[in-house]
Structures are given as structure tokens and as C-alpha cells.
């Protein structure tokens, strides 16, 4: 089967001076460094138009062969949020009470997480991200996708940055196993649940753990001369 090539068109990225580039890089880092995972949400509503813009941003992510192998399910219906919470808490209860290793529980203890997930009902929106292992054509045939987890992971990164930039908060929730989301959201066989992101405002006077991020020296290895300062 032949595939029509994309027409190639001129691309006009911004032309900035090295000083402006450095300034932008610094400003963006400082902004992103203020992002925190929040587990306590307010029930204050968020406009659907805001959600649409956030999801448009997520959709700009690069993907293997430009297949865009993602579906974002946006849940605001209180009854459905309640069903998701109940199913997630059932799995989480089992995970925290036997399925997770002692080492894992030990690693989580400083964060204070447990099996209870009230934010699944409190947050005005839940975005459940599905990855498409393959595309299902209208005639029922399958067409492969590539680097699906990488692509969907990047889209989620864009989404998290967009949520932060909009002044809202989120949390990367990974109930395990996540199959109940396929059932509750009635997703087709080619989609697998990937990540659940509650989106909203933080609860009043929310607290977060005083985490430190690893210094650059610990997370980078340089293989050439650094540019002169
Ligand atoms: N999925 C569980 C457990 C959990 C696991 C990791 I790794 C975390 O960083 C946080 C939580 C939960 O959502 O509580």
C-alpha cells in the first residue's frame, strides 16, 4: 500500500540572539522548576475551553511516524469520576496491602501517598490518557504505530507543562493495574490506559513535600567542551 508524502513547506523558527536564547532558557527553567505535583485539589470549576487549549498543546508533541498514537479522555461527569475513584481505590488498596514490595513502600513513605484517592472526585477534570498500540482502520484492518510509549510520554510531558503554565495543577496518577479504565471509558481494543491526570486548582493552603531536585552535575555527563561563558 502506498502512502501519500507530506508536501514540504518553509519553516520559520524565531531568530534570537545568543543572549536572548540564554535569557529564555533561564526564564523557562525557573518557571518549570516551580511546578509541583499536587495531591489535594479544590473542586473549583475550570472552563472547558481551557481544557481544550491544554489538550491542543499536548497534541503538538512529536510522535513516531507522526502517528499521534494517543486519545485523551476528559472526564468531568461526577458519577463517572466516582466510579473511577472506587475502581482505582480498590486496586490501590490491594497494591498498598501486599502487591507492592517492601522496598517500593519504603521509597513511597516519604511522600505520604496511600490507597485513598479523593482527588479523583474532587478535581473538576480527569484526563485519562490512552496509548494506541496500533490504529484500527474503518475496514477493521490494523496499521502499526511506532515508539508509542515514548510518543505518549512526550505528549503527557507537554500536557503537564501546559497545565502548569495555565496556573493549574496536576498529578501523574498511575493506578495499577489500569484495565478498569478501558472498561469504564468504553475504549476500543487497540487502546491501553497510560496515565491519569486530575486537573484543577490546588486545595486552599496546599502543602507539598520539600523535595530537592538532583543537581545538574548528578544528572548530566558532558562529552565536549562546554560553550564559553
Ligand atoms: N500508583 C500508586 C503508587 C505510587 C507509585 C509511585 I512509583 C509513585 O511515585 C506514587 C504512587 C499511587 O498512585 O498511589
Amino acid at each position: 500500500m502506498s502512502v501519500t508524502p507530506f508536501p514540504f513547506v518553509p519553516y520559520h523558527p524565531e531568530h534570537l540572539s545568543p543572549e536572548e536564547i540564554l535569557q529564555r532558557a533561564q526564564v523557562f527553567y525557573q518557571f518549570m522548576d516551580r511546578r509541583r505535583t499536587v495531591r489535594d485539589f479544590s473542586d473549583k470549576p475550570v472552563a472547558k475551553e481551557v481544557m481544550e487549549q491544554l489538550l491542543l498543546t499536548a497534541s503538538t508533541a512529536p510522535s513516531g511516524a507522526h502517528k499521534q498514537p494517543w486519545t485523551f479522555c476528559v472526564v468531568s461527569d461526577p458519577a463517572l469520576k466516582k466510579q473511577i475513584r472506587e475502581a482505582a481505590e480498590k486496586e490501590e488498596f490491594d497494591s498498598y496491602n501486599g502487591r507492592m514490595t517492601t522496598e517500593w513502600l519504603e521509597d513511597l513513605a516519604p511522600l505520604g501517598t496511600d490507597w485513598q484517592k479523593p482527588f479523583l472526585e474532587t478535581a473538576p477534570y480527569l484526563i485519562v490518557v490512552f496509548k494506541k498500540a496500533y490504529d484500527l482502520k474503518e475496514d477493521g484492518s490494523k496499521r502499526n504505530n511506532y515508539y508509542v510509549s515514548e510518543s505518549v510520554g512526550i505528549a503527557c510531558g507537554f500536557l503537564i507543562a501546559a497545565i502548569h503554565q495555565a496556573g493549574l495543577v496536576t498529578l501523574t496518577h498511575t493506578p495499577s493495574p489500569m484495565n478498569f479504565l478501558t472498561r469504564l471509558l468504553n475504549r476500543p481494543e487497540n487502546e491501553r490506559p497510560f496515565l491519569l491526570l486530575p486537573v484543577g486548582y490546588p486545595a486552599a493552603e496546599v502543602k507539598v513535600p520539600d523535595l530537592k531536585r538532583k543537581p545538574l552535575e548528578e544528572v548530566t555527563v558532558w562529552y565536549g567542551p562546554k560553550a564559553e561563558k
Side-chain angles (χ1 to χ4, degrees):
M1 188 181 132
S2 71
V3 177
T4 321
F6 292 116
F8 273 62
V9 292
Y11 174 54
H12 301 291
E14 288 177 89
H15 291 291
L16 302 173
S17 68
E19 293 75 23
E20 286 169 317
I21 289 173
L22 177 58
Q23 163 79 0
R24 285 232 201 159
Q26 287 167 333
V27 167
F28 192 62
Y29 159 62
Q30 281 156 12
F31 170 72
M32 289 302 288
D33 194 37
R34 295 189 55 209
R35 186 204 58 79
R36 293 303 311 262
T37 289
V38 163
R39 294 190 158 79
D40 301 304
F41 284 74
S42 150
D43 62 0
K44 184 173 169 179
V46 171
K48 186 177 174 210
E49 292 71 29
V50 171
M51 299 304 291
E52 287 171 348
Q53 297 305 310
L54 301 177
L55 293 162
L56 280 168
T57 299
S59 308
T60 66
S63 61
H66 192 53
K67 295 283 192 152
Q68 305 168 86
W70 42 65
T71 302
F72 303 100
C73 294
V74 187
V75 182
S76 55
D77 176 59
L80 189 51
K81 286 197 292 180
K82 185 168 194 280
Q83 282 182 301
I84 291 174
R85 177 184 178 180
E86 283 169 2
E89 286 186 336
K90 193 165 172 290
E91 295 298 353
E92 293 294 283
F93 184 88
D94 291 347
S95 294
Y96 279 87
N97 293 282
R99 279 204 296 237
M100 284 151 86
T101 60
T102 313
E103 183 181 355
W104 193 348
L105 291 170
E106 232 176 69
D107 282 338
L108 282 180
L111 296 171
T113 62
D114 62 28
W115 62 272
Q116 296 182 78
K117 306 295 170 191
F119 55 78
L120 293 173
E121 280 192 86
T122 324
Y125 284 101
L126 307 179
I127 301 177
V128 187
V129 185
F130 285 82
K131 63 177 183 184
K132 290 177 156 181
Y134 51 90
D135 279 334
L136 269 181
K137 297 284 156 199
E138 275 173 17
D139 64 1
S141 64
K142 296 176 181 179
R143 186 93 189 175
N144 201 26
N145 288 330
Y146 311 92
Y147 301 102
V148 170
S149 294
E150 291 84 346
S151 304
V152 181
I154 295 166
C156 288
F158 280 29
L159 180 55
I160 292 164
I163 292 166
H164 174 57
Q165 204 275 335
L168 298 171
V169 294
T170 188
L171 149 68
T172 48
H173 180 44
T174 50
S176 174
M178 289 210 260
N179 330 353
F180 68 88
L181 292 166
T182 302
R183 180 173 47 82
L184 289 175
L185 300 173
N186 203 18
R187 298 315 304 157
E189 60 161 70
N190 62 322
E191 294 187 12
R192 312 266 182 275
F194 184 78
L195 194 63
L196 195 165
L197 297 154
V199 181
Y201 294 87
E205 312 205 8
V206 74
K207 287 194 172 160
V208 295
D210 187 15
L211 306 178
K212 300 282 171 276
R213 295 188 162 113
K214 288 182 180 176
L216 205 52
E217 301 74 52
E218 203 179 322
V219 296
T220 56
V221 185
W222 302 76
Y223 292 91
K226 281 192 212 183
E228 292 301 319
K229 282 213 172 154

